[in-house]
Amino acid sequence: MINPGIFLGIFVQLALLGTLDAVTGLGPLGWIAGAAYGVAVGGFLTYGLNRSTARSLGPADAVTLGRSGLVGCVTALVVNTAGRETVTMVVIASVALALDAVDGQVARRTGTASPLGARFDMEIDAYLILILSVVVAQSLGPWVLTIGAMRYVFVAASRLWPWLNSPLPPNMARKTVAAVQGIALVAVVSTILPLWAGFAVTLGALGLLTWSFGRDTWWLLERHAFAATPAEVA
C-alpha cells in the first residue's frame, strides 16, 4: 500500500505538471516523462520505507518530496516536444537547488534525520545533475554527460566491488563540490555565459567532481586494503 505522504507527493507532481502545462504548453512526451518520473519516485520511496524502520515520511522528507516535484518539471521541460522554455527551466532548477539546503536544516532542527531521507535527498540531487547535463551536452558536447553519469557509474562499480558501498565520513568539500555541479550547469543552461566561458565553467566543475570521486574512492580502497590485511601475530 502506498504511504499517504507518497501518494500526496505524486498528486503534487501531477498538479505541478498541470500548472507548467498551462504556462508553457507541455507536449505529450513532457507529460509522460514528468508523470513517469513522479510515479518512479513514489515507487522507490515506498520500497525504501518498507525496507527501513520508518513508518512514514518526516518533515524533511516532505521538503525533499516537494523538491522532487520541481525536478520532475525540469524533466518534463527537457523532453518537451512543444518547445523548451529555458527561463522557466532555469528558475525551477534554481529553486530546486536552493531547497537542497532547507531539507537538511529541517531534519536537524526536528531531529528527524534518517538514512532513507539522506539517500532520497542524494538521489534527487544526482538525478537533477544528470538531467541538466543532458541539456548542456547539446551545446557543449557529449563529454558533459560525464558529470551526470559519474554517480551512476560509481553505483554500478559498487556492484562489482562491494567495498565501494562502505560509508564515507562526512565531508564539507564533498557537499560543496556537489553543489557546484548544479550551480555551474544551471548557469550554462541559462545562456548568460558566452560559449567559451560555459565550456570553462563546465570543465572546471567536471574536474572538481573527478577529484572528489577519486579522493573518496582512494579512501575506500585504503580502508578496504587495511581491513583485508591479516593482523600481525605478536
Side-chain angles (χ1 to χ4, degrees):
M1 182 178 180
I2 298 180
N3 180 275
I6 297 175
F7 183 81
L8 179 60
I10 296 175
F11 177 80
V12 168
Q13 178 69 85
L14 295 176
L16 287 172
L17 290 173
T19 303
L20 191 62
D21 188 19
V23 174
T24 66
L26 282 180
L29 287 181
W31 264 105
I32 292 172
Y37 167 85
V39 172
V41 169
F44 285 124
L45 266 182
T46 300
Y47 176 77
L49 276 176
N50 290 337
R51 288 176 58 87
S52 70
T53 57
R55 291 292 177 265
S56 61
L57 300 178
D61 300 325
V63 175
T64 308
L65 195 57
R67 193 159 64 87
S68 173
L70 297 176
V71 175
C73 290
V74 174
T75 301
L77 287 171
V78 169
V79 302
N80 185 22
T81 57
R84 289 201 185 107
E85 293 288 340
T86 301
V87 174
T88 304
M89 186 188 301
V90 167
V91 169
I92 295 175
S94 297
V95 174
L97 289 172
L99 287 176
D100 188 28
V102 175
D103 46 15
Q105 292 183 1
V106 171
R108 288 187 291 271
R109 292 181 180 182
T110 59
T112 56
S114 68
L116 175 61
R119 179 66 181 272
F120 182 32
D121 179 60
M122 179 176 62
E123 296 300 341
I124 294 300
D125 290 341
Y127 178 78
L128 178 56
I129 290 172
L130 172 63
I131 204 70
L132 289 174
S133 71
V134 170
V135 179
V136 176
Q138 295 180 25
S139 59
L140 297 184
W143 64 271
V144 180
L145 296 174
T146 307
I147 294 177
M150 198 169 296
R151 155 70 183 164
Y152 299 99
V153 170
F154 186 86
V155 172
S158 69
R159 300 289 184 179
L160 297 175
W161 301 290
W163 50 268
L164 288 172
N165 281 318
S166 301
L168 288 162
N171 186 277
M172 183 57 65
R174 185 186 309 117
K175 295 179 180 180
T176 302
V177 169
V180 165
Q181 306 307 306
I183 295 171
L185 291 173
V186 166
V188 177
V189 171
S190 70
T191 67
I192 61 174
L193 299 174
L195 189 61
W196 67 267
F199 184 92
V201 167
T202 307
L203 186 61
L206 175 58
L208 285 174
L209 189 63
T210 302
W211 167 80
S212 181
F213 270 97
R215 187 190 60 166
D216 287 344
T217 301
W218 184 256
W219 187 90
L220 290 170
L221 178 60
E222 286 190 321
R223 186 172 182 268
H224 171 69
F226 178 79
T229 301
E232 294 185 1
V233 179

